Amino acid sequence: MAAGNDVMESRIGRMCIERGLKMTGQRRVIARVLSEAQDHPDVEELYRRAATLDSRISVATVYRTVRLLEEKGILERRDFGGGRARYEATEEGDHYHLIDVDTGKVIEFEDEEHARLLRRIANDLGFDLVSHRLELFARKRTADTKDESPPRTTTARPTGRSKR
Amino acid sequence: MAAGNDVMESRIGRMCIERGLKMTGQRRVIARVLSEAQDHPDVEELYRRAATLDSRISVATVYRTVRLLEEKGILERRDFGGGRARYEATEEGDHYHLIDVDTGKVIEFEDEEHARLLRRIANDLGFDLVSHRLELFARKRTADTKDESPPRTTTARPTGRSKR
DNA sequence: CTATTTGCAAATTGTTTGCATTAAC
DNA sequence: GTTAATGCAAACAATTTGCAAATAG
């Protein structure tokens, strides 16, 4: 394995540079943490992970950084309930989140049909869709539950990333 | 016009009684304010309106009351961004909100197809849908924008209530 | 060098809570 | 009467900010 795990700028670090952001030590660390996150951490958690890599970092800086990166379009803020904002790197194409109400685990999925439907709805009301928010809160299906949904074929599918 | 605007219990006031809640003066006032609201007021706004009708009322009571009514299923809490919770009376059938990003105005709409689609998505992922959240953020269509949506007929339609 | 960024602690914002007092039922 | 509800102010949790010191470019 060849991965300059300390010399090379993280993916998000590179994006920061592209946008002309000053790369301080703490910013680089936070960028790395964000680049490596496979979940949707809140600021507290980001701070914890960042502090592990470099202890001279403060929560205030984490707050300032995520806000900055959100403004730059590098990050997206999510609200899965529970009062604290959670973050994930901006990705191509919309995806949505299903939150397991029992475990808090977050599952991502895509759904083309859905995105189209929303755009149409806004259009029908005389608006252009700027953005939207969708969260499903659900519970793992119990073995016995019979399939009651229409027989139509599915467009939904998990994107693979599974979350805390 | 015949409307005992002070003698009769408001719609939500009646619901409180049905569920055996003790009807204090302030609770009655808050219930009336909620019953008459045609929008999605936050606590601050509810407090302002309630205080107009009866000044001996405190924000704490408004907070306690909306929480109570939400637990009782009489009210629903919404989050349209902006940090504060907003409330509206529980209604039959799901409806969604489109927030005009320029004016902050909220438009409600229903969409049967949509609700079905969400249930199916959860199902396909192996879950039973417990609840969901959907908000559209949009901008009034500029006159020139051509219709680019599929020619299929619409299921979305405004429910009539238009909001702040 | 100069403009930004950081740390720290204090400040803000939305909301909750403890406790003595008041009011429903 | 008793139990629950209220007001007030203090407590909280998440996030923001002022300012002097540190640092990237």
Side-chain angles (χ1 to χ4, degrees):
Chain A
M1 282 87 176
N5 218 306
D6 209 62
V7 287
M8 205 157 79
E9 196 68 61
S10 65
R11 191 178 76 81
I12 289 184
R14 267 176 273 128
M15 299 183 72
C16 290
I17 294 171
E18 273 173 39
R19 326 233 165 168
L21 297 182
K22 201 176 271 193
M23 284 313 279
T24 67
Q26 23 279 76
R27 218 168 255 181
R28 204 183 319 276
V29 169
I30 296 170
R32 175 172 299 286
V33 167
L34 286 167
S35 298
E36 290 170 357
Q38 288 302 304
D39 51 357
H40 305 80
D42 56 31
V43 169
E44 188 76 11
E45 177 62 22
L46 287 174
Y47 172 58
R48 214 171 298 128
R49 296 182 195 177
T52 305
L53 303 188
D54 182 344
S55 58
R56 73 210 139 154
I57 207 169
S58 77
V59 232
T61 297
V62 179
Y63 272 107
R64 281 192 270 235
T65 304
V66 292
R67 186 141 57 88
L68 176 69
L69 297 200
E70 196 200 349
E71 280 162 13
K72 295 294 183 185
I74 298 173
L75 280 190
E76 283 178 9
R77 192 211 322 253
R78 303 286 179 197
D79 166 26
F80 297 154
R84 42 236 287 168
R86 298 173 59 173
Y87 293 87
E88 71 177 319
T90 300
E91 287 172 44
E92 318 268 334
D94 288 338
H95 66 263
Y96 306 99
H97 301 93
L98 178 152
I99 297 96
D100 184 322
V101 294
D102 295 318
T103 67
K105 198 170 292 186
V106 176
I107 292 166
E108 296 190 348
F109 63 92
E110 298 172 3
D111 190 292
E112 281 308 322
E113 185 179 342
H114 191 271
R116 235 176 293 125
L117 178 55
L118 295 185
R119 228 170 298 125
R120 206 183 78 223
I121 289 174
N123 241 275
D124 291 339
L125 293 172
F127 286 79
D128 288 324
L129 192 58
V130 172
S131 68
H132 61 277
R133 224 159 48 175
L134 168 71
E135 272 92 44
L136 305 189
F137 296 90
R139 168 167 294 128
K140 210 150 222 139
R141 188 183 314 110
T142 49
D144 58 291
T145 311
K146 280 283 183 274
D147 182 4
E148 296 169 311
S149 65
R152 276 200 284 151
T153 168
T154 295
T155 22
R157 67 197 166 203
T159 50
R161 300 171 77 192
S162 156
K163 285 50 181 312
R164 85 149 245 169
Chain B
M1 284 85 170
N5 216 307
D6 208 65
V7 288
M8 204 157 82
E9 196 68 61
S10 65
R11 191 178 77 83
I12 289 183
R14 267 176 273 130
M15 299 183 73
C16 290
I17 294 171
E18 273 173 38
R19 328 237 163 163
L21 298 182
K22 200 177 272 193
M23 283 313 280
T24 67
Q26 24 276 80
R27 216 167 257 181
R28 204 183 321 274
V29 169
I30 296 170
R32 175 171 299 285
V33 167
L34 286 167
S35 298
E36 291 170 357
Q38 289 301 304
D39 51 357
H40 305 78
D42 56 32
V43 169
E44 188 76 10
E45 177 63 21
L46 286 174
Y47 172 59
R48 213 172 299 128
R49 297 182 194 177
T52 304
L53 302 187
D54 183 344
S55 58
R56 73 211 140 156
I57 208 172
S58 77
V59 232
T61 298
V62 179
Y63 272 107
R64 280 192 270 237
T65 304
V66 292
R67 185 141 57 89
L68 176 69
L69 299 200
E70 196 200 348
E71 281 162 13
K72 294 296 183 184
I74 297 174
L75 279 190
E76 284 178 7
R77 192 210 321 251
R78 303 287 179 195
D79 166 25
F80 296 154
R84 42 237 289 166
R86 298 174 58 175
Y87 293 88
E88 70 178 318
T90 300
E91 287 173 44
E92 319 266 333
D94 287 339
H95 66 263
Y96 306 99
H97 302 92
L98 178 153
I99 297 96
D100 184 321
V101 294
D102 294 317
T103 68
K105 200 170 288 186
V106 177
I107 291 167
E108 297 190 348
F109 64 91
E110 298 173 0
D111 190 295
E112 282 309 321
E113 185 180 341
H114 191 269
R116 235 176 292 125
L117 178 55
L118 294 185
R119 227 171 298 123
R120 204 183 80 222
I121 289 175
N123 240 274
D124 290 339
L125 294 172
F127 285 80
D128 287 325
L129 191 58
V130 172
S131 68
H132 63 277
R133 223 160 44 178
L134 169 71
E135 273 92 43
L136 305 189
F137 297 89
R139 168 166 296 129
K140 210 148 224 144
R141 185 178 325 106
T142 49
D144 58 293
T145 311
K146 281 282 183 269
D147 183 4
E148 296 170 311
S149 65
R152 277 199 283 152
T153 167
T154 295
T155 22
R157 65 196 168 205
T159 52
R161 299 172 77 191
S162 157
K163 282 56 178 310
R164 86 131 250 183

